[in-house]
Amino acid sequence: MAIADRLVLQRQRHLKWPALDRLELILMMLCGLLCFGFSLSVTADIATRTIGHPWLWLQEVTSTLFIYAIFIGAAVATRRNDHLYLTALSEAMHGKSRLVVEIVIRLVVLGVAFCLVWYGYQNYLRGFGSFRLPSGTPIASLYAVIPLSGILIGLFTVEQLVNGIRNGFEHPEPPDEDLAIPAINTSATTGVQP
């Protein structure tokens, strides 16, 4: 099984366009790198503080990696339907009522995506007036990912809306492949007599 097959979720394929699978793969790999970099920078920050020679710029790196991982992760979670979502409500319904609830939920997510783009871009522009210390980098470098995340969330939500209306939101999922667990022979004697 290739890495792409493991990172691109195959669940709910009826709601996804194959053309966006490569984007999901890239975003998943980027999230992994961001989380790894975040963990590495936190470890280095702790180590340098412990030895008495802290690198203050590591806090900037850590916060940047953390913020980027959150917003890129939110976009990927939208494509994979792994985000905080009202699935319990919609999955309990069937037919036209489920269709309406699924559409309303995705329209709300689309509204959130619009707010991320609009207000995130405004924050990004305002961020050029404030600077991070000790590097002096404009704080806009932190805010740049917010409108990007909104665009990706909007794209993935439109993908689900179009495919859900076209193909329906209800589709039985194939059962997960369970790994066979070998039986343990408990009748074997260990040589100990009662």
Side-chain angles (χ1 to χ4, degrees), residues 133-144:
L133 295 176
S135 71
T137 307
I139 209 159
S141 64
L142 288 178
Y143 298 149

Side-chain angles (χ1 to χ4, degrees), residues 27-38:
L27 291 175
M28 285 296 292
M29 290 172 40
L30 182 59
C31 281
L33 288 173
L34 289 168
C35 289
F36 177 75
F38 169 77

Side-chain angles (χ1 to χ4, degrees), residues 12 81 83-92 98 102 105:
Q12 297 181 334
N81 276 336
H83 53 76
L84 291 176
Y85 201 72
L86 302 173
T87 56
L89 177 66
S90 64
E91 288 177 358
R98 176 163 182 176
E102 293 276 7
I105 289 171

